[in-house]
């Protein structure tokens, strides 16, 4: 019965992750590695499967039918394996993306303001992040200055050393002082990098999928062992 | 940024307004002190004493974080530097000369034979490679009422303070292509190149050089690193990932073994 509830909870959790409330999907999608989402999709499936199989298991145990219990065990074992995979994938992928900021920085420099589908999508995402989170670049505004990038190739440095979304704005989203922003005066530019925000988003997804799945698996293990024991005594 | 150090550097420092004295960063103070030592003992009545042993300084990094950039260098305007040479009767302006750093820069002159200021442009000198070019002209900054740097935080005052305080070399990306341009053109500098700068006090009417600073220390424009050189290898795996993988593998094995044993 508890496993049923756990299965449902996992299902809900994974739906939350795949719905991407932080809108960081472009970062993961562009890199061609969106395994956190793959993990989440798998756990949607396994969460629901846990629920169904547990209903089936309870019925079979109540009936005391050996064949049905055996079927239950086989099914739950398969789901168990899948859930393990989802757990590990999500966590590994989190390490890959946000264990340090290099991947995200490189991606930002390669795709920001690029005239491709991926570029446009990533640009939109970064613009929104920088406006809403009041951050600039991945680590700091200097990311735009220290490295070559598509952005640098398109806009002369004299006019725009960094995107104007880095500039501090008033409540109406009007740039406070363009010249001050261009010079990098601390009162007119967001000096904080956006990496913390991205890391937080990806982390919470990975934690959701991975640790929650992990906890459920830990709980499922003794239950399954008990059922196996019960099966041998039937 | 200790005040004690600033006090002990040189009496020249005290000629600067108090707000400059407080905000000067260490290397700048050292540079001024160094140049003061090198300079010969000038007689007190020598009017050019102050300017001729000062060098143009890069803008305070506390206020201008992105400096020097790839193509621009922001300099402090020469506050109080030319005080000794300004006479009330004439009107003056300051010219800024820029030159690529080389062995001959120190001795490069910005005057022609008649003591008039050079009119060389960016194009004529191949961007400062052949000799100094005139990058900008501005009014002599007021020594008596310098801008307060704390005012920059005030949005209304910021543009005025920035223009009063700073001169940005390489600020104008359009003037090279403007056929009607009359004034000095200040186009972007080249990246990864050392430049030296000099402020010159010029009589507005006769165009005669009244005073000048030393050439600044070489200031190098920055250089881009290729973004492809960023290493994206995540490095060490986190402990959590190892724990998850290990525990889950063991549990799976246990469950599978129990299942097989039960069959």
């Amino acid at each position: 019965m508890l496993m049923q509830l756990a299965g449902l909870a996992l299902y809900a959790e994974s739906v939350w992750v795949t719905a991407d409330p932080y809108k960081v999907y472009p970062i993961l999608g562009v890199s061609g590695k969106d395994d956190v989402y793959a993990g989440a999709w798998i756990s949607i499936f396994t969460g629901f499967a846990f629920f169904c199989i547990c209903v089936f298991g309870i019925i079979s145990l109540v009936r005391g039918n050996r064949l049905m219990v055996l079927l239950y065990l086989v099914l739950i074992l398969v789901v168990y394996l899948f859930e393990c995979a989802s757990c590990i994938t999500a966590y590994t992928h989190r390490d890959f993306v946000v264990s340090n900021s290099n991947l995200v920085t490189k991606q930002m420099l390669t795709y920001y303001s690029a005239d491709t589908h991926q570029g446009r999508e990533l640009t939109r995402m970064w613009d929104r992040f920088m406006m809403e989170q009041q951050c600039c670049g991945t680590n700091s505004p200097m990311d735009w200055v220290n490295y070559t990038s598509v952005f640098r190739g398109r806009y002369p440095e004299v006019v725009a050393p960094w995107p104007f979304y880095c500039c501090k704005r008033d409540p109406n989203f009007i740039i406070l002082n363009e010249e001050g922003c261009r010079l990098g005066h601390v009162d007119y530019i967001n000096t904080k990098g956006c990496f913390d925000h991205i890391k937080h988003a990806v982390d919470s997804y990975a934690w959701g999928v991975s640790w929650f799945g992990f906890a459920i698996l830990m709980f499922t293990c003794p239950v399954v062992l008990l059922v196996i024991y019960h099966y041998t005594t039937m | 940024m200790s005040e004690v150090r600033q006090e002990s550097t040189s009496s020249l420092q005290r000629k600067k307004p108090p707000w400059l004295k407080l905000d000067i960063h260490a290397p700048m103070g050292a540079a001024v002190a160094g140049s003061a030592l090198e300079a010969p003992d000038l007689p007190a009545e020598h009017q050019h004493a102050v300017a001729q042993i000062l060098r143009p300084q890069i803008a305070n990094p506390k206020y201008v974080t992105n400096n020097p950039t790839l193509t621009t260098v922001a300099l402090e305007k020469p506050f109080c530097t030319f005080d000794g040479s300004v006479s009330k009767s004439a009107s003056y302006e300051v010219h800024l000369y820029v030159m690529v750093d080389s062995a001959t820069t120190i001795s490069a002159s910005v005057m022609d034979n008649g003591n008039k200021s050079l009119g060389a442009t960016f194009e004529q000198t191949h961007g400062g490679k052949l000799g100094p070019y005139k990058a900008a002209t501005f009014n002599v900054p007021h020594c008596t009422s310098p801008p307060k740097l704390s005012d920059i935080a005030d949005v209304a005052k910021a543009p005025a303070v920035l223009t009063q305080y700073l001169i940005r070399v390489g600020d104008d990306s359009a003037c090279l292509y403007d056929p009607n341009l009359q004034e000095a053109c200040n186009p972007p500098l080249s990246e990864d190149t050392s430049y030296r700068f000099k402020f010159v006090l010029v009589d507005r009417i006769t165009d005669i050089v009244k005073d000048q600073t030393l050439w600044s220390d070489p200031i190098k424009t920055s250089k881009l690193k290729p973004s492809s050189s960023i290493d994206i290898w995540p490095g060490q795996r986190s402990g959590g990932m190892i724990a998850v993988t290990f525990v889950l593998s063991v549990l799976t094995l246990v469950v599978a073994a129990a299942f097989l044993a039960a069959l």
Side-chain angles (χ1 to χ4, degrees):
Chain A
M1 192 59 198
L2 268 176
M3 258 174 74
Q4 263 185 46
L5 287 180
L8 265 190
L10 181 66
Y11 178 67
E13 162 82 24
S14 316
V15 169
W16 174 75
V17 170
T18 40
D20 190 14
Y22 292 109
K23 309 254 181 270
V24 290
Y25 184 76
I27 286 204
L28 308 170
V30 166
S31 68
K33 291 185 189 285
D34 51 355
D35 299 346
V36 164
Y37 290 89
W41 279 110
I42 297 176
S43 54
I44 284 188
F45 162 73
T46 51
F48 194 64
F50 266 133
F51 177 72
C52 299
I53 295 170
C54 286
V55 173
F56 178 73
I58 288 168
I59 295 172
S60 57
L61 283 174
V62 167
R63 282 203 181 171
N65 187 329
R66 232 178 114 82
L67 198 67
M68 272 173 84
V69 175
L70 184 64
L71 186 60
Y72 164 76
L73 280 176
V74 170
L75 286 176
I76 203 118
L77 214 67
V78 170
V79 175
Y80 195 92
L81 281 175
F82 269 103
E83 179 55 24
C84 280
S86 136
C87 239
I88 296 173
T89 316
Y91 212 95
T92 315
H93 186 233
R94 178 224 156 261
D95 272 12
F96 178 72
V97 175
V98 295
S99 62
N100 59 44
S101 61
N102 292 349
L103 179 91
V104 180
T105 312
K106 188 168 182 173
Q107 207 176 67
M108 175 187 84
L109 296 171
T110 326
Y111 287 104
Y112 187 87
S113 82
D115 200 15
T116 58
H117 174 68
Q118 289 177 324
R120 276 190 292 271
E121 202 173 322
L122 208 75
T123 308
R124 260 203 306 280
M125 188 208 77
W126 272 103
D127 288 350
R128 204 190 47 243
F129 273 6
M130 294 199 281
M131 283 266 261
E132 286 173 2
Q133 303 297 322
Q134 287 165 14
C135 55
C136 178
T138 309
N139 303 301
S140 74
M142 297 314 273
D143 286 345
W144 300 105
V145 177
N146 291 340
Y147 292 102
T148 56
S149 59
V150 178
F151 176 78
R152 179 59 53 249
R154 283 187 70 155
Y155 301 99
E157 199 234 6
V158 178
V159 183
W162 31 64
F164 283 119
Y165 287 97
C166 285
C167 302
K168 284 211 168 129
R169 285 155 191 266
D170 67 5
N172 292 326
F173 291 109
I174 294 165
I175 297 173
L176 284 178
N177 183 311
E178 215 179 288
E179 185 60 27
C181 176
R182 199 173 287 149
L183 289 167
H185 189 278
V186 285
D187 286 322
Y188 296 106
I189 187 164
N190 302 318
T191 45
K192 190 176 60 142
C194 298
F195 184 65
D196 281 345
H197 175 69
I198 295 168
K199 188 177 160 81
H200 171 74
V202 176
D203 264 353
S204 54
Y205 291 166
W207 274 72
V209 175
S210 189
W211 285 112
F212 196 63
F214 182 71
I216 290 172
L217 289 176
M218 291 291 278
F219 173 72
T220 316
C221 181
V223 174
V224 174
L225 288 178
L226 265 178
V227 176
I228 291 174
Y229 176 72
H230 184 75
Y231 172 75
T232 51
T233 58
M234 271 167 95
Chain B
M1 219 111 344
S2 72
E3 280 185 57
V4 182
R5 189 217 301 260
Q6 295 300 338
E7 289 296 335
S8 65
T9 45
S10 116
S11 62
L12 290 165
Q13 283 287 294
R14 292 193 199 107
K15 300 228 176 201
K16 291 198 164 193
W19 58 274
L20 271 179
K21 205 160 56 173
L22 284 177
D23 290 318
I24 287 171
H25 58 298
M28 189 190 284
V32 173
S35 60
L37 289 175
E38 286 160 25
D41 232 333
L42 292 160
E45 67 270 17
H46 201 294
Q47 294 249 303
H48 298 173
V50 177
Q52 286 190 350
I53 51 175
L54 286 179
R55 301 164 189 273
Q57 301 291 354
I58 197 161
N60 191 327
K62 223 166 92 192
Y63 295 95
V64 184
T65 53
N66 184 21
N67 188 32
T69 71
L70 291 178
T71 52
T72 68
V73 176
L75 297 174
E76 253 175 43
K77 281 192 177 173
F79 280 96
C80 304
T81 310
F82 296 122
D83 268 10
S85 328
V86 175
S87 64
K88 290 243 158 55
S89 53
S91 87
Y92 298 96
E93 59 188 4
V94 178
H95 291 185
L96 168 65
Y97 284 89
V98 180
M99 188 180 179
V100 174
D101 182 35
S102 67
T104 57
T105 321
I106 298 292
S107 55
S109 169
V110 292
M111 290 185 278
D112 61 12
N113 295 330
N115 269 0
K116 291 193 170 182
S117 68
L118 276 182
T121 65
F122 183 84
E123 280 161 310
Q124 284 163 6
T125 61
H126 291 243
K129 283 196 195 90
L130 303 182
Y133 70 91
K134 186 163 84 175
T137 305
F138 52 90
N139 295 329
V140 183
H142 293 296
C143 185
T144 44
S145 59
K148 284 202 198 70
L149 284 191
S150 51
D151 279 350
I152 300 190
D154 184 342
V155 178
K157 293 179 186 161
V161 174
L162 284 175
T163 31
Q164 276 174 46
Y165 172 58
L166 291 179
I167 174 82
R168 197 164 177 240
V169 187
D171 198 27
D172 192 343
S173 52
C175 65
L176 277 184
Y177 313 103
D178 183 355
N180 300 321
L181 190 82
Q182 296 296 317
E183 298 163 359
C185 179
N186 185 13
L189 308 171
S190 327
E191 66 177 90
D192 197 24
T193 314
S194 288
Y195 286 91
R196 284 177 186 265
F197 307 92
K198 188 199 258 297
F199 291 120
V200 177
L201 184 74
V202 176
D203 189 309
R204 225 184 262 271
I205 297 151
T206 58
D207 204 24
I208 285 176
V209 173
K210 294 291 283 182
D211 199 356
Q212 52 183 301
T213 63
L214 295 177
W215 283 101
S216 71
D217 293 323
I219 297 172
K220 196 167 193 179
T221 49
S222 56
K223 184 181 164 189
L224 283 179
K225 280 178 272 181
S227 57
S228 53
S229 70
I230 300 176
D231 180 16
I232 58 167
W233 177 244
Q236 223 172 359
R237 300 287 176 187
S238 62
M241 181 253 167
I242 294 169
V244 167
T245 315
F246 178 73
V247 173
L248 286 184
S249 315
V250 170
L251 285 187
T252 316
L253 273 181
V254 168
V255 171
F259 178 69
L260 287 178
L263 281 178

